Structure formats: C-alpha cells, structure tokens
Amino acid sequence: MRSSRLGRSTVEVTELGFGGGPLGGLFAPLDDETAAATLSAAWDCGVRYFDTSPHYGIGQSERRTGDFLRGMPRDTFTLSTKVGRLLVAQDPRGRVDERFRVPATHRRVWDFSREGVLRSVGDSLARMGVDRVDVLLLHDAEEHFGTALREGFPALAELRSQGVVGAVGAGMHDPGLLTELVRETDADVVMLSGRYTLLDHRALDDLLPACTERGVSVLAASVFNSGLLATPRPVEGAHFDYAPASPDVLRRARELADVCEAHGVRLPEAAMAFPLRHPAVAGIVIGMRSPQEVRLDAAAFDAPIPDRLWSDLREAGLLDERAPVGA
C-alpha cells in the first residue's frame, strides 16, 4: 500500500488508515476477540497507520490498539492518538457511556492546557503500553480553540522537539478553525472529519489552499459522512453526519451513485478515492469494526476508478469546480 509523508516531518502514513472509534464500542459493543481480529485483518491488508484517542470508549480503543501493535516491530507502523480530554475514574454502577457502548468507568474532562496535554500523553502511553506515538493531535477543540491554540499546540510542539512524537496538529470538524491553526502554527498535519467528501466540499474554500501553501498534510476522516456514502445505493434513513439524511442530501447521494454505476464503480469506492485526488491529502482514515468490514473496505480502496468518472460527476454538477480530478 502506498504511503505519504506528513508535512515537513519524517512520519509516513499508509493512504488507507485504520480509525479506532469502533474499537471503543462506537454505536454498538465490540468484544476483545473481534477487535483483535479486526486489527489483524487490517494489518494483513497492508494498513500500517492506526489512529486512536482516549475519547474512543474512554480508553478502550487505545488499550486494544496498543495490545495489538506491541506485537509488531515498532518501525513498521505509524500510531496516532489525541489530546484534549482527560479520563477521570468514577463509579460505573448503573451507567453506560453516553456515546460508546462501554461501562462508564471514567468521565471525560476537557483540558487543552500544557499540563493537561502532558498528562493526557502520559496516560495514553501507559494505556497503550508504548514508549512513543508518531502523530499527536488536538482533538475536537472547537469549543476550546483559544486555549488549544495558545497552550495546547505549544505543548505538542515541545513534545515534537523532544522526540516524544514525530508530527503534530489537530483533528476537528470545523475547517475554518483548522485553517486558523494552519496559518498560525507550524503544524505538520490536520485530520478533517467529514468536510472533504463527495457530499461536502467546504474544505476547498480555505483549508485545503492554506494547507497547500503551508506544506501541511491533510488526513481525511469520515469520508462516508457517517454512513450515507458507505453503501452502493443510499437508502431512506441513512445517516449523514450522525443524523438522518435530509431528502435533498439523500437525493444528491443517489445521483452520485447513478453516475458511479454508469462507470461500473460502487459509491463507497468513489467516496474513498475522491479525497486522495487532492495533493494536500496524504491519506484517509476509515473506522472499521470487523474483519469482514476491513476486507470490504480494503477491496473498495484498491478498486480502479476511471478518470472519466470524475469529469462526469463535475459535468453533472455533483463536484465542485475547484476539486482536483486529474490523475
């Protein structure tokens, strides 16, 4: 599988990355055996970039990722995690986590201060059982952006200079705030969730031009927009950005599927390929929760996409004129 370097760092990621949200029980419980088999299947398919976070299953995703990767030579994979939420122990009796289907053994406390970042990194290293991570990202800092920019990012840069991490940046939904981060700091990478997909092109306004200008790499996450683009033919009730898709968005998704079908391409295949057409995008990150899902996604990632598909999507008014569609 092809790899790309992140910004000015020496860190490389495979163009298909493993997103660790489902390992934390996102939307549905996931047992240890299935989690391990899913990670193993991703490895067998050539994935060597693994992304996780304390937020995912209040530490469960990090533990499972670390358990698997500790069995692999350290120089053969790239590992990223995130900061911004500290995990504080609490009595879990009668409680289930609000978003991940795990016992609520901990609660999350927002903290983008220097001290909070350093503590979060130490906790993550202990949970994963590793001595370093390759990529460290400010996570979901939209409501705490001032502190994240003033205190959080300098702490990341400090850790980078010490060799604790190789590349630093932020992962958010808001392309405007990520653009500010790119312009105000020496970030290596940003992870953008759901804002450069077949259905959402808003990153073309400012973020992608800024990343191109500043030499910052982009990792595109949520390329299926939380489900709507994950099947060949979107159905009623399919989710777009964690809520049922509106009739207009569903119609547009089906129009995308029509053009794809005319070229013998499945909609998920095009959804995975599209972000990588932009030169600033180093890779995509896909959440996967079973070996079968891994193999299906890996096959979709490898599917050939005719160049004519992109030009036809543009001619149909389904792609922004600014979106690169060349080889």
Side-chain angles (χ1 to χ4, degrees):
M1 188 176 293
R2 291 185 303 181
S3 296
S4 297
R5 182 169 294 185
L6 298 181
R8 294 169 294 276
S9 76
T10 60
V11 177
E12 293 194 354
V13 297
T14 47
E15 289 188 342
L16 176 59
F18 185 97
L23 296 185
L26 181 64
F27 302 133
L30 190 71
D31 62 83
D32 289 341
E33 183 178 358
T34 302
T38 302
L39 287 160
S40 181
W43 188 274
D44 291 343
C45 289
V47 174
R48 295 295 182 271
Y49 172 46
F50 297 84
D51 174 69
T52 184
S53 168
H55 174 52
Y56 303 154
I58 46 178
Q60 179 173 273
S61 175
E62 285 189 322
R63 286 191 292 271
R64 288 171 164 176
T65 301
D67 287 346
F68 176 76
L69 291 178
R70 285 197 304 276
M72 304 301 172
R74 186 59 186 88
D75 61 352
T76 61
F77 62 86
T78 299
L79 173 63
S80 68
T81 193
K82 306 180 182 78
V83 298
R85 295 174 175 91
L86 295 175
L87 304 183
V88 179
Q90 66 178 7
D91 185 345
R93 285 179 295 183
R95 299 177 179 173
V96 176
D97 187 63
E98 66 268 19
R99 186 160 178 187
F100 294 83
R101 307 307 294 172
V102 296
T105 56
H106 293 72
R107 60 187 176 88
R108 301 168 180 83
V109 177
W110 289 104
D111 195 336
F112 287 96
S113 70
R114 178 182 182 277
E115 293 75 17
V117 166
L118 298 181
R119 177 181 165 186
S120 181
V121 172
D123 290 349
S124 290
L125 293 176
R127 276 190 292 270
M128 292 188 286
V130 298
D131 61 358
R132 63 181 171 86
V133 294
D134 302 292
V135 184
L136 193 59
L137 303 170
L138 303 167
H139 196 195
D140 294 341
E142 281 87 348
E143 300 301 319
H144 311 270
F145 188 72
T147 303
L149 189 63
R150 291 191 311 271
E151 300 184 38
F153 186 85
L156 299 190
E158 179 182 336
L159 292 168
R160 181 179 58 189
S161 69
Q162 295 170 350
V164 178
V165 297
V168 298
M172 291 191 282
H173 292 83
D174 190 321
L177 292 178
L178 284 176
T179 302
E180 185 175 347
L181 181 94
V182 167
R183 289 176 173 162
E184 296 294 328
T185 72
D186 62 345
D188 303 295
V189 58
V190 296
M191 183 178 289
L192 177 65
S193 182
R195 298 296 178 259
Y196 192 55
T197 72
L198 282 175
L199 279 169
D200 192 326
H201 305 147
R202 74 186 76 177
L204 289 166
D205 294 338
D206 298 300
L207 177 60
L208 288 170
C211 288
T212 301
E213 177 185 347
R214 300 274 294 172
V216 175
S217 294
V218 176
L219 295 168
S222 300
V223 299
F224 298 141
N225 285 118
S226 72
L228 187 58
L229 300 176
T231 58
R233 172 59 52 174
V235 298
E236 295 284 347
H239 278 67
F240 174 77
D241 287 357
Y242 304 104
S246 68
D248 183 63
V249 170
L250 183 61
R251 174 191 57 77
R252 190 173 180 87
R254 287 172 172 170
E255 290 173 354
L256 287 164
D258 291 340
V259 179
C260 288
E261 288 174 6
H263 289 273
V265 174
R266 299 168 74 247
L267 183 58
E269 296 168 355
M272 297 174 82
F274 170 69
L276 289 164
R277 311 293 287 194
H278 197 288
V281 176
I284 61 172
V285 180
I286 306 293
M288 296 176 270
R289 62 181 305 115
S290 70
Q292 180 185 19
E293 197 169 292
V294 168
R295 288 188 283 269
L296 287 172
D297 285 340
F301 180 80
D302 287 335
I305 308 292
D307 288 340
R308 184 65 187 172
L309 169 65
W310 309 115
S311 55
D312 283 359
L313 287 172
R314 175 177 284 178
E315 290 173 9
L318 296 170
L319 281 189
D320 192 299
E321 288 289 332
R322 301 167 296 173
V325 295

